[in-house]
Amino acid sequence: MLKEPRVGRVKTRLGRDIGMVEAAWWFRHQTERLLRRIEDPRWRLVLAVAPDKTGMESRVWPAHLPRVAQGGGDLGDRMGRILRGMPPGPVCIIGGDIPGVRKGHLVKAFKVLGDHDAVFGPAEDGGFWLVGMKRVARLPAGLFRGVRWSTEDALADSVASLPGCRVGFCDRLRDVDRAADLVG
């Protein structure tokens, strides 16, 4: 899931610490590196972009990668729409602001889905950097309902929105929301 790297519209919490221009620059280059690292013939990489029209037409993202529009709503609405809209089979969603993610992390997440209905990659701040669903059955109607986004409760709330699902976890990684997250 990627936002167009526009000044003042992407990584605004980081921008309050380091400047909006610098935050947009960081996100653009971080995402370019991430896409190069995780592109692999073992999976289909699709960019879920926002804003919808601008993201679909953007020249920032690699032209050879397919794109889907995220659509409206909060983060849960958008992730749910993406999970429901992909072809049948396992799907994992990540954001562009996780400097440590490597192909091996994604391999592990897909492996966890072999024995679970859902997988989360916990983030150090209580959220998550990855969510995946096996998608052999209909997704729960309450998926991501009531999640307190951008809090230390986001992961726990998201897991709670999956009653009756077998949920597994993969590696804990750091996402970048503030200047302090850039160190380490």
Side-chain angles (χ1 to χ4, degrees):
M1 293 184 74
L2 302 171
K3 283 185 180 178
E4 187 72 7
R6 301 284 170 135
V7 174
R9 301 188 99 191
V10 67
K11 303 307 299 173
T12 55
R13 285 185 287 169
L14 177 62
R16 286 191 289 271
D17 291 346
I18 68 170
M20 293 298 177
V21 170
E22 292 79 3
W25 183 92
W26 177 85
F27 184 73
R28 179 177 182 160
H29 293 281
Q30 155 59 29
T31 302
E32 288 172 356
R33 290 185 300 270
L34 173 70
L35 294 174
R36 281 195 303 271
R37 278 196 317 268
I38 66 171
E39 196 167 4
D40 192 285
R42 293 174 284 183
W43 48 74
R44 182 173 170 238
L45 185 58
V46 177
L47 306 180
V49 296
D52 295 351
K53 183 175 178 4
T54 308
M56 294 298 285
E57 297 170 352
S58 177
R59 294 181 186 206
V60 171
W61 312 124
H64 71 283
L65 293 175
R67 301 174 195 190
V68 296
Q70 290 182 24
D74 70 12
L75 180 59
D77 295 332
R78 293 176 297 168
M79 287 192 300
R81 188 176 303 110
I82 292 163
L83 288 168
R84 288 179 179 93
M86 289 291 117
V91 171
C92 288
I93 297 173
I94 66 170
D97 61 349
I98 306 97
V101 71
R102 303 289 187 269
K103 289 178 188 178
H105 295 110
L106 301 178
V107 168
K108 191 173 192 178
F110 281 114
K111 187 174 181 179
V112 170
L113 281 176
D115 298 326
H116 298 84
D117 302 311
V119 61
F120 287 91
E124 293 179 359
D125 62 5
F128 54 92
W129 63 271
L130 175 142
V131 59
M133 301 287 294
K134 189 181 279 190
R135 298 172 352 106
V136 295
R138 191 169 173 196
L139 297 180
L143 178 64
F144 301 123
R145 196 168 293 147
V147 174
R148 292 168 282 179
W149 298 111
S150 300
T151 73
E152 65 275 358
D153 300 306
L155 175 60
D157 291 350
S158 296
V159 171
S161 79
L162 295 168
C165 291
R166 294 170 299 150
V167 177
F169 298 91
C170 59
D171 301 299
R172 179 176 303 276
L173 294 177
R174 173 181 50 86
D175 62 350
V176 173
D177 293 318
R178 305 215 177 270
D181 300 328
L182 292 170
V183 181

